[in-house]
Amino acid sequence: MLDIKFIIENPGLIKQGAAKKHVKVQVDKIEELYNKRNKKLRQAEKLRARQNEVSKEIPQKKDEEKEKLLKEMKKVKDRLNLLEPEIDNLEKELETLASIIPNPPLDSVPEGEDEEDNKIIKIQGEKPKFDFKPKNHLKIGENLNIIDMERGAKISGSRFYYLKNEAVLLEFALVQHIIHKLVSKGFTSTIPPVLVKEEAMFATGFFPTDRNEIYEVNPEDDNLFLVGTSEVPLN
């Protein structure tokens, strides 16, 4: 979630960025709630300061003065009992509205809703030309008996697959190659947890927008979520 102060200090940037991503945001409402919450926080802090001040005075006062201060403290306590839930509710509402605001994209990012709106920024190298019709990687993998899409779909659904034989060896070889290369450059290799708490998903921007795409584990007990990328536990 973006820092609320940053949102309030950059309303134009936030609104423009959200519009590019076709996300409806309420920046003006956030500012209104922020100011309202801060006003009530100041009131509560002033009341608590008065409580601390009086708690030091009471032992030194005579009965009549002490009674007067005790009555004042009763009113202060009653006022705090009203203020604190109001502040909590404002903070929850503020967090809910702020949590759906996306990170502003770069100015160079085009506005669009699907892949057709994407723009080619740069082409590196030249596309190879063949004197025959090339097969895609899936067809080659099936012919070599290293990819099995049919069984993957049968067991898990569309877009799932089995890697077999040399493809398995190739995947592990690539991982080992990259790990050794990075470690030699001072990289700290890490295998992070794949289940995280809800606040980790919010802190890395996956919640609330992508919540429906994340698997929840034991919601009644552990309330953990299966990460789709290691950036969540690493961040």
Side-chain angles (χ1 to χ4, degrees):
M1 186 175 78
L2 292 174
D3 184 82
I4 292 174
K5 194 174 180 182
F6 176 81
I7 295 171
I8 292 169
E9 291 176 350
N10 301 275
L13 175 67
I14 297 300
K15 290 176 182 178
Q16 183 181 5
K20 272 191 172 184
K21 295 187 174 184
H22 297 271
V23 177
K24 292 182 180 179
V25 296
Q26 300 183 58
V27 177
D28 297 334
K29 181 68 174 177
I30 287 173
E31 184 174 5
E32 178 190 332
L33 291 170
Y34 179 79
N35 292 332
K36 194 173 180 180
R37 182 203 63 177
N38 285 354
K39 183 179 179 181
K40 289 184 181 292
L41 275 174
R42 287 192 293 270
Q43 292 173 356
E45 287 167 3
K46 190 175 180 181
L47 290 169
R48 291 191 191 101
R50 180 58 180 157
Q51 277 183 327
N52 292 334
E53 182 184 341
V54 170
S55 66
K56 295 175 183 177
E57 292 179 5
I58 285 179
Q60 305 168 14
K61 299 295 182 180
K62 295 179 180 179
D63 290 345
E64 188 176 331
E65 293 175 323
K66 188 181 292 185
E67 186 65 27
K68 186 178 179 181
L69 287 174
L70 288 172
K71 286 181 179 178
E72 181 191 347
M73 288 303 95
K74 173 69 167 58
K75 291 180 180 179
V76 168
K77 185 179 179 182
D78 290 344
R79 179 62 184 141
L80 278 171
N81 287 339
L82 290 174
L83 270 175
E84 286 169 351
E86 288 176 0
I87 292 169
D88 287 342
N89 289 334
L90 285 168
E91 287 182 341
K92 288 175 183 176
E93 189 176 356
L94 191 58
E95 187 173 307
T96 297
L97 291 177
S99 67
I100 63 173
I101 293 182
N103 286 324
L106 293 173
D107 292 337
S108 59
V109 174
E111 183 176 351
E113 295 187 71
D114 51 46
E115 291 185 7
E116 293 180 359
D117 298 313
N118 290 340
K119 294 180 181 178
I120 296 174
I121 305 299
K122 180 182 179 182
I123 295 176
Q124 183 70 31
E126 295 183 6
K127 291 183 179 180
K129 296 179 180 179
F130 302 98
D131 56 2
F132 59 89
K133 185 178 179 180
K135 298 175 183 177
N136 63 35
H137 72 281
L138 179 57
K139 191 62 181 175
I140 294 172
E142 289 175 344
N143 290 345
L144 294 174
N145 193 29
I146 60 174
I147 299 176
D148 192 332
M149 292 291 294
E150 186 178 341
R151 284 185 175 83
K154 182 178 179 181
I155 298 299
S156 304
S158 61
R159 298 190 300 172
F160 288 92
Y161 55 87
Y162 283 91
L163 289 184
K164 301 164 61 180
N165 302 319
E166 289 86 350
V168 177
L169 300 178
L170 176 61
E171 177 167 321
F172 280 94
L174 286 170
V175 170
Q176 284 291 323
H177 171 68
I178 295 300
I179 288 293
H180 283 300
K181 189 170 185 176
L182 292 174
V183 168
S184 70
K185 301 291 185 180
F187 177 80
T188 301
S189 53
T190 306
I191 297 179
V194 295
L195 292 169
V196 298
K197 297 177 181 179
E198 187 175 32
E199 51 263 38
M201 301 302 292
F202 270 105
T204 49
F206 285 89
F207 282 2
T209 52
D210 295 332
R211 192 181 189 109
N212 65 324
E213 297 180 9
I214 305 296
Y215 293 103
E216 188 173 2
V217 180
N218 298 333
E220 300 299 324
D221 301 313
D222 302 323
N223 196 31
L224 295 174
F225 296 85
L226 186 64
V227 300
T229 166
S230 62
E231 73 178 275
V232 174
L234 284 175
N235 274 301

